[in-house]
Amino acid sequence: IRLVKKNDYKNLKFLFLKNSMNIMKKNNWLNLWNNPYLKKKKELGYVLTKQNKIIAHLGFYPCKYNLNKFNYNSLVLHGLVVNRDYRAASIPLIKKFFLNQKSDFLISTTTSEIAAKVLKFFGMQKISIKNLNESRIIILDFFKFAKFIFKKKQNFFKKIIFLLVYYFLHLIKIFTNKDHTTTAYKINRFNSKYDDFWKEYKNKSKFFNLDRNKSYQNWFFSKNINLNTAWIFIVEKNNKIVGYSSANIKKQNNFRIAYLTDLIALNEDENVLKDLVSANIQEVKKKNCIYFELANSSFAKYKIFQSLGGLPIKWKKNGFYYKSNNTILSRCLKTNLSWTPSSLDGDIAI
């Protein structure tokens, strides 16, 4: 067992593909080593090797969360993969991680069913929020959307019924929804004005939030913004930022799909949130995507997305798991009222 290295990517990609799993793009992998919270000893995961071949991997990277004006050192878990022939041999690797880490909070958000069983064995719990099983989508190209659905492993007749229903709903949305004028505009980097917005938001918030300070946000988004696969919108009033959103594009089965990864406004101002969603819809229409999705969000934000053409859909399983080593935090997180999830949590948007 050893720490993962930057030049392990090629061998890890082979391991992931061999086990029918997706691995993050190489530019995002390399960007992990630029994380602003990393210490001099850059610990970003463990690998298990046999005869110089990687047979298991558990990745993680640092971040911070806030609750009631307190900061909590946290780790995002990602990429738990084990060669099928060495399932049992991976236990010492996972055990080493859980015994050595001292973070207040651990989170895994893209957890497979197999990984969930392992993580639960080591004390991680599912974040039981109803909204995490829901999404809202705006279909932009129904023909390509139909082709995308037919590539999914589902009953043929269920696919036909699903598409007929959604085509009918899609037509209704086209005729009943008009483009909403917006004051939101794009930025390429987070600045001190954004930091003022974030500090005001987190100080007022009663929820458990990922700390979205400008250093972390610039690290998280920089590579994908440069590749034109992510973007940021803000809304200002009186020369002050009052809302922000982020979105990105990913490929599935050679189809481009856009995701609204974050959506925040001071005082949860619905007009500001609607401005941001509208700006993103207009942006996505230029990107040749088959649909635009909002997932891992609150019911209030789903409602705004739906009012602008979004259709409710359930095709995701809740992959959010967590563990807290901080007694006070652990007590707070037992109530669903503490949580305000987004697709920035964990490695969903990487």
Side-chain angles (χ1 to χ4, degrees):
I1 298 172
R2 64 166 172 81
L3 286 171
V4 71
K5 300 173 184 175
K6 192 185 287 189
N7 61 4
D8 282 329
Y9 183 81
K10 185 177 179 181
N11 293 326
L12 283 172
K13 187 174 182 180
F14 176 79
L15 175 66
F16 274 70
L17 293 176
K18 187 178 178 182
N19 289 275
S20 303
M21 291 180 64
N22 295 321
I23 188 170
M24 67 180 69
K25 290 180 179 178
K26 189 173 182 179
N27 65 296
N28 289 326
W29 167 263
L30 295 175
N31 194 42
L32 290 178
W33 270 261
N34 299 322
N35 185 305
Y37 295 126
L38 275 180
K39 297 177 181 177
K40 286 184 179 179
K41 186 180 180 183
K42 297 193 173 185
E43 298 185 7
L44 284 164
Y46 294 116
V47 294
L48 180 65
T49 63
K50 184 175 182 180
Q51 297 174 347
N52 294 321
K53 289 184 179 181
I54 296 175
I55 58 173
H57 167 264
L58 174 60
F60 49 85
Y61 62 85
C63 63
K64 288 187 184 293
Y65 274 79
N66 317 119
L67 179 64
N68 298 327
K69 298 184 181 180
F70 286 96
N71 293 324
Y72 295 97
N73 293 322
S74 308
L75 282 180
V76 171
L77 276 64
H78 68 92
L80 175 55
V81 58
V82 183
N83 191 309
R84 290 186 181 91
D85 300 327
Y86 299 97
R87 296 288 193 211
S90 67
I91 297 300
L93 177 144
I94 302 165
K95 190 174 182 180
K96 180 181 176 71
F97 165 74
F98 279 99
L99 287 176
N100 288 353
Q101 68 80 29
K102 298 176 183 178
S103 300
D104 296 309
F105 178 72
L106 305 174
I107 186 167
S108 173
T109 57
T110 55
T111 318
S112 67
E113 290 184 17
I114 294 173
K117 291 177 183 178
V118 176
L119 295 181
K120 283 194 284 187
F121 180 80
F122 285 95
M124 294 193 74
Q125 307 172 56
K126 180 179 277 193
I127 301 174
S128 299
I129 301 176
K130 185 181 178 182
N131 290 342
L132 291 179
N133 290 322
E134 300 178 10
S135 295
R136 298 294 185 274
I137 62 169
I138 295 173
I139 301 170
L140 303 168
D141 186 325
F142 198 88
F143 177 70
K144 288 182 180 178
F145 178 73
K147 287 176 70 175
F148 173 76
I149 294 299
F150 273 109
K151 285 195 174 186
K152 286 182 166 289
K153 294 179 181 178
Q154 292 174 329
N155 179 279
F156 177 80
F157 292 106
K158 282 185 178 179
K159 291 177 184 176
I160 293 293
I161 293 169
F162 172 86
L163 287 171
L164 286 172
V165 170
Y166 270 75
Y167 183 66
F168 176 71
L169 294 173
H170 174 61
L171 289 177
I172 292 173
K173 291 291 183 181
I174 289 173
F175 288 115
T176 58
N177 282 278
K178 297 179 181 178
D179 285 341
H180 177 78
T181 54
T182 174
T183 59
Y185 66 92
K186 269 204 299 187
I187 58 171
N188 291 323
R189 283 188 66 79
F190 295 89
N191 55 24
S192 56
K193 191 183 284 189
Y194 166 84
D195 244 3
D196 292 339
F197 157 76
W198 173 247
K199 286 172 186 175
E200 182 176 349
Y201 179 85
K202 75 174 183 179
N203 287 336
K204 287 180 177 179
S205 176
K206 296 178 182 178
F207 297 108
F208 185 59
N209 292 297
L210 172 70
D211 194 333
R212 297 158 168 85
N213 63 74
K214 70 174 182 179
S215 296
Y216 184 84
Q217 294 282 73
N218 281 326
W219 163 73
F220 193 90
F221 285 105
S222 60
K223 292 290 182 182
N224 289 330
I225 287 175
N226 290 338
L227 291 170
N228 201 28
T229 56
W231 58 89
I232 309 151
F233 275 103
I234 62 168
V235 172
E236 283 193 23
K237 288 182 180 179
N238 301 320
N239 202 33
K240 169 185 170 182
I241 295 176
V242 293
Y244 119 95
S245 69
S246 61
N248 71 348
I249 293 173
K250 288 191 176 185
K251 274 191 175 181
Q252 285 189 40
N253 297 324
N254 294 319
F255 294 103
R256 286 164 63 87
I257 299 167
Y259 299 90
L260 189 61
T261 50
D262 207 13
L263 181 63
I264 292 177
L266 293 179
N267 305 314
E268 305 301 325
D269 188 311
E270 285 191 18
N271 290 325
V272 172
L273 293 172
K274 198 167 188 176
D275 259 11
L276 290 164
V277 174
S278 298
N280 278 279
I281 292 171
Q282 291 170 25
E283 183 70 16
V284 170
K285 286 178 178 178
K286 306 171 190 174
K287 303 284 187 182
N288 195 31
C289 296
I290 62 170
Y291 67 84
F292 184 36
E293 179 175 6
L294 173 65
N296 312 311
S297 195
S298 67
F299 181 75
K301 291 173 184 176
Y302 282 149
K303 195 173 178 182
I304 290 168
F305 200 79
Q306 201 163 326
S307 72
L308 293 168
L311 301 171
I313 195 166
K314 286 189 180 183
W315 56 22
K316 290 179 176 289
K317 289 187 177 179
N318 175 4
F320 280 58
Y321 285 80
Y322 81 98
K323 182 179 181 180
S324 175
N325 296 311
N326 182 295
T327 307
I328 297 172
L329 178 60
S330 184
R331 196 179 301 127
C332 292
L333 295 181
K334 284 182 180 177
T335 167
N336 289 348
L337 298 176
S338 297
W339 296 95
T340 175
S342 80
S343 291
L344 279 194
D345 291 300
D347 64 325
I348 297 170
I350 289 182

